[in-house]
Amino acid sequence: MSTFLHRVAHWAFRRRRTVVLVWVAALAAVFLGAANSSEAPEDSASLPGIESQQAFDLLDERFPGTEADGAQARVVFVAADGQQVTSTANRSAVDTLVDEVADGPQVAGATSPFDAHAVSEDASTAYATITYRTTADDLTEASKEALTEAVEHARDAGLTVEVGGSALETEPAQGIGEVLGILVAAAVLLITFGSLAAAGLPLLTAVLGVGISLATITALGSALGFSSTVGELAMMLGLAVGIDYSLFVVSRYREERAKGHRAQEAAALAVGTAGSAVVFAGLTVVIALLGLSVVGVPTLTKMGIGSAGTVLVGVLIALTAVPALLGFWPDAVLPRRDREDPRRTRSRRPGRFGRNRIRNWTWNRQVTTPAGTARTPWGVRWARFVTRRPVAVLLLTVVGLGALAVPSLNLRMGMPGAESKPTTTTERRAYDALADGFGPGFNGPLTVVVDVRGADDPAAAVTGVSDRLADIEGIVSVSPPHFNEAKDTAVVSAVPSTGPAGEQTQDLVRTIRDERPAIESATGAEFQVTGTTALNIDVGRKMQDALVPYLAVVVGLAFLLLMVVFRSILVPVKAALGFLLSVGAALGAIVTVFQEGHGAGVFGVEETGPIMSTMPIFLVGIVFGLAMDYQVFLVSRIREAHIHGEQPGQAVVTGFRHSAQVVGAAALIMMAVFGGFMTGGESMVKMVGFGLASAVFFDAFVVRMAFVPAVLALLGKRAWWLPGRLDRLLPRVDVEGEALTRRAPAPDHASGDDDRRESVTV
């Protein structure tokens, strides 16, 4: 692997103009394809294999001409203090709104609250239900404007009017996540490298990779069903890994130049060593993302595929575009003191040649300095501290992360709805008004689809099902049935006594389904429970059931890959255990803030509730891949020092000397990118940003910087043990670049015969 990548980097350095032109041409081609592509589809709510989806499919079949997931608006009317909505003036305003909306385009029906008995007991609140023949995504502006104008007319009459449902769903406020992430990344890179060029090159290549990936996703969106959400996740990951992968190559290039290698050879050695780690780190991310397909949710599968493609583009750019750009500016990424050194100035005058050789030889000698005058890197000091006290550090790390993970045992999964939106939105105000006037369950009614094809008396069968449902504890009311034209299917709405995100509502749905066999036997009708509330419950259960198989697939494949990379059994085991600790701590932090509400105000979270159903899967998949990045980059340097003859403890110190600062910078960049998404107005986006940022922090600064060196120090040489038979079976990939060390030319301290095409005079 290392020798192949070494040759690739040599070629890219020599043919740098060709390489850059190819990448620019690729960017132009995909942007042209994106500009001429059809509009990307919206996120599909189809979730095969769950009861809610089966009921939706039955509704589409038995109620032709309407969509089960069609847009709906619930217009809530609240009378002024001391008044009632049933008063003559207020009733007239409500009826006028219903009549105006009923004649609007795409409207399937508009039900007055006075006809549907949708008035609260104290007559202070009422609601009208507006249904549309199409989904919310396909609603025209004319339909939305007609509803908005009718609402304004009712408000002018003196009523407080708010609109819930999907018809006028408010777009979340856009944050400055991408910009903030890039700015923080630039600052971290500048501090780490001390060079504008070295800081700018990873940013440039990351933006190039994200641009190509997003344009490709857009161009293929219609054909492959890639929605805008696929692009959002791809952008978030593309920025993070794109910067990190280029960062590691540039850092190794600077290291090789400091050893005295010429620019072309330094670039080739950097790609052959750090580039090998990039390849396998990228593969672990790709495995984690493609593993989302085992969950069985089409949307997650597409998001995994799109993001995996973005990571692959980032790997290819790090291996080809980075050495090509280094060929144009070989000295610009070096520290200023190195660029200004006399040995960097090329001259063909014979009189200067000898003097340059003397200067170069002197500059690269090891100079002995008095004790204490040279500042020891913080990574070395920390590694020495950990290797001297491995047991204490290991116990403190495990206990600390374990304590943070304890709240995750109370994890409740669901899909936050209008209750999680800011109070500035009309959906949130409509939610609160309904809860105050009718009880929290009115915001999450259960839709029961009754199939009476096999019943002798369909009407009596549906009535029997409704009566049995009304007798179940936790059901407040059951609406009159609505039959289709064939009279073989009916829909009833059951209102729970608790809110849609409540744990009692989940128990109620489970109770209804548990009592279904007895109800069906007594009535002769079959029924299924669906609706937004039941759908969210089913999705959460599906995600929870898929978590263990997903972990098994991802961790199993990554274990095999890491075993090949490090030629060890215990190192991959350590990596998996450390990952579980960091993910557990991150989940605990999410539950603490977004479910239990501790510190929620700091992050702008106005309402707590269940954790988004897809969050644990996302966290496991994405963070596992990113965590393995740090594992490969850090431990490969430790193994490199070990196979070159250093003792285990010293190898840990050497590995930290070369990689701790870069890994820390990479983690800060990822945290900035993920944390920047918390500036948006959507609670779910804040949750994703917070979860990923905290997981990266725990994994990079606690697990990799404390847990890993402590375990390696305790294991000693046993950490690199591999049975002989397995050692012969596994392929050798040489991530550490051992073959390059044996064959690489010695550093050239003489500059008189240097190839001027490889560098420039500064």
Side-chain angles (χ1 to χ4, degrees):
M1 173 65 75
S2 58
T3 50
F4 170 74
L5 295 179
H6 184 272
R7 291 196 298 268
V8 168
H10 259 297
W11 175 84
F13 192 99
R14 290 196 309 270
R15 307 294 183 187
R16 45 190 173 270
R17 291 181 178 83
T18 301
V19 172
V20 171
L21 285 175
V22 168
W23 280 112
V24 172
L27 179 63
V30 294
F31 262 98
L32 183 62
N36 296 319
S37 64
S38 303
E39 186 177 355
E42 295 296 328
D43 291 323
S44 173
S46 176
L47 295 170
I50 62 175
E51 179 177 327
S52 298
Q53 184 62 50
Q54 294 168 356
F56 274 131
D57 295 339
L58 182 62
L59 284 174
D60 287 336
E61 175 188 345
R62 303 288 177 87
F63 291 82
T66 60
E67 297 194 37
D69 56 349
Q72 185 184 74
R74 181 174 282 181
V75 185
V76 184
F77 307 92
V78 180
D81 292 341
Q83 297 184 15
Q84 295 181 331
V85 292
T86 54
S87 67
T88 303
N90 289 335
R91 182 167 188 148
S92 176
V94 172
D95 288 337
T96 300
L97 181 146
V98 173
D99 292 339
E100 287 182 20
V101 175
D103 296 332
Q106 298 179 302
V107 175
T111 305
S112 170
F114 309 112
D115 296 334
H117 306 289
V119 181
S120 63
E121 291 184 4
D122 61 0
S124 64
T125 309
Y127 66 89
T129 302
I130 317 298
T131 56
Y132 291 84
R133 293 190 297 268
T134 185
T135 63
D137 298 326
D138 295 329
L139 277 183
T140 63
E141 288 301 320
S143 298
K144 295 179 181 179
E145 288 177 4
L147 177 58
T148 302
E149 290 177 1
V151 168
E152 290 301 327
H153 293 161
R155 287 173 177 167
D156 293 339
L159 286 170
T160 297
V161 186
E162 305 295 346
V163 183
S166 58
L168 294 182
E169 189 170 6
T170 306
E171 291 294 328
Q174 297 298 315
I176 55 172
E178 302 89 340
V179 177
L180 180 63
I182 291 177
L183 290 178
V184 175
V188 172
L189 288 170
L190 187 59
I191 294 173
T192 302
F193 285 138
S195 164
L196 284 173
L201 194 149
L203 291 174
L204 174 64
T205 54
V207 171
L208 173 64
V210 169
I212 291 175
S213 301
L214 289 182
T216 303
I217 290 172
T218 302
L220 299 176
S222 179
L224 300 181
F226 288 154
S227 66
S228 59
T229 307
V230 176
E232 291 173 4
L233 180 62
M235 178 176 60
M236 184 166 57
L237 282 178
L239 281 175
V241 302
I243 293 173
D244 281 2
Y245 293 164
S246 297
L247 166 65
F248 283 108
V249 173
V250 172
S251 176
R252 189 61 182 254
Y253 170 81
R254 285 158 54 102
E255 184 181 326
E256 297 299 334
R257 288 297 301 273
K259 293 178 182 178
H261 287 291
R262 293 184 297 178
Q264 182 171 338
E265 182 61 24
L269 287 172
V271 174
T273 52
S276 297
V278 165
V279 170
F280 284 96
L283 283 177
T284 58
V285 181
V286 169
I287 288 173
L289 291 170
L290 294 181
L292 290 172
S293 59
V294 306
V295 179
V297 178
T299 300
L300 286 182
T301 300
K302 293 171 185 177
M303 294 174 72
I305 293 173
S307 301
T310 303
V311 172
L312 288 177
V313 171
V315 171
L316 292 175
I317 286 179
L319 300 180
T320 57
V322 170
L325 292 174
L326 289 173
F328 285 107
W329 302 284
D331 292 342
V333 300
L334 301 179
R336 182 174 297 275
R337 64 178 182 275
D338 293 351
R339 283 179 280 155
E340 294 176 348
D341 192 87
R343 81 182 185 90
R344 302 294 179 197
T345 304
R346 310 304 185 194
S347 175
R348 292 185 178 182
R349 289 185 295 171
R352 296 282 303 277
F353 174 72
R355 290 196 297 273
N356 283 340
R357 289 182 64 90
I358 294 173
R359 288 194 191 99
N360 293 334
W361 177 80
T362 304
W363 188 82
N364 285 281
R365 289 182 62 191
Q366 294 290 335
V367 180
T368 303
T369 59
T373 60
R375 181 178 177 84
T376 305
W378 67 266
V380 173
R381 298 197 303 271
W382 173 252
R384 288 173 179 167
F385 173 82
V386 174
T387 53
R388 291 193 189 106
R389 305 167 182 83
V391 175
V393 172
L394 181 60
L395 288 176
L396 184 62
T397 301
V398 173
V399 171
L401 291 178
L404 290 173
V406 168
S408 65
L409 298 176
N410 299 322
L411 173 68
R412 290 192 299 109
M413 291 196 294
M415 292 298 291
E419 76 279 3
S420 64
K421 291 181 177 292
T423 54
T424 55
T425 62
T426 186
E427 299 101 309
R428 172 62 185 275
R429 294 195 295 268
Y431 180 96
D432 292 341
L434 276 176
D436 293 339
F438 296 90
F442 268 80
N443 285 296
L446 304 175
T447 301
V448 181
V449 184
V450 186
D451 184 357
V452 291
R453 275 189 172 181
D456 297 331
D457 186 347
V462 173
T463 302
V465 171
S466 299
D467 293 341
R468 292 295 188 97
L469 291 175
D471 292 338
I472 296 177
E473 185 179 356
I475 296 291
V476 175
S477 63
V478 178
S479 69
H482 171 60
F483 279 90
N484 63 346
E485 292 184 2
K487 303 299 181 181
D488 60 1
T489 307
V491 176
V492 298
S493 180
V495 178
S497 60
T498 53
E503 192 171 358
Q504 298 92 334
T505 306
Q506 296 184 23
D507 295 336
L508 175 62
V509 172
R510 189 179 301 112
T511 299
I512 293 174
R513 289 170 175 170
D514 289 341
E515 296 188 10
R516 176 166 43 199
I519 297 176
E520 291 180 343
S521 176
T523 61
E526 298 178 354
F527 70 88
Q528 293 175 314
V529 183
T530 186
T532 302
T533 300
L535 178 64
N536 291 339
I537 293 172
D538 290 346
V539 171
R541 187 172 299 127
K542 184 178 180 67
M543 294 296 175
Q544 193 167 3
D545 294 341
L547 187 58
V548 173
Y550 177 63
L551 267 175
V553 170
V554 171
V555 174
L557 291 176
F559 179 88
L560 294 176
L561 184 63
L562 292 176
M563 190 165 58
V564 171
V565 171
F566 296 117
R567 310 200 69 75
S568 166
I569 291 179
L570 296 180
V571 168
V573 171
K574 169 196 61 62
L577 292 177
F579 159 74
L580 293 176
L581 283 172
S582 60
V583 167
L587 276 176
I590 293 172
V591 171
T592 299
V593 174
F594 290 88
Q595 181 176 306
E596 298 177 354
H598 303 298
V602 176
F603 302 101
V605 179
E606 297 186 12
E607 187 74 22
T608 60
I611 303 304
M612 184 174 62
S613 299
T614 54
M615 187 64 208
I617 292 286
F618 270 132
L619 195 69
V620 169
I622 297 173
V623 175
F624 183 83
L626 299 180
M628 292 305 104
D629 279 2
Y630 306 131
Q631 169 73 13
V632 172
F633 289 126
L634 179 61
V635 180
S636 63
R637 295 307 299 264
I638 297 174
R639 176 172 166 77
E640 180 180 344
H642 177 69
I643 64 177
H644 289 163
E646 293 188 11
Q647 293 299 313
Q650 183 57 39
V652 171
V653 175
T654 301
F656 268 68
R657 179 190 302 275
H658 293 298
S659 58
Q661 183 179 9
V662 180
V663 168
L668 288 175
I669 290 171
M670 282 198 179
M671 289 173 61
V673 172
F674 294 146
F677 284 83
M678 296 179 62
T679 61
E682 186 68 35
S683 177
M684 290 187 291
V685 176
K686 290 182 180 181
M687 189 184 300
V688 172
F690 175 83
L692 293 178
S694 59
V696 169
F697 171 79
F698 292 136
D699 194 89
F701 293 106
V702 181
V703 172
R704 305 304 153 192
M705 295 296 177
F707 178 83
V708 168
V711 172
L712 291 178
L714 288 173
L715 292 176
K717 294 183 178 180
R718 295 187 298 274
W720 313 108
W721 171 79
L722 187 69
R725 180 175 297 180
L726 188 58
D727 184 47
R728 291 188 293 271
L729 290 175
L730 294 178
R732 295 186 177 274
V733 294
D734 189 22
V735 175
E736 299 82 10
E738 186 179 3
L740 297 179
T741 305
R742 293 194 300 264
R743 58 174 287 184
D748 186 3
H749 305 309
S751 58
D753 57 352
D754 187 78
D755 186 353
R756 290 179 59 85
R757 292 175 300 174
E758 296 186 40
S759 59
V760 295
T761 302
V762 179

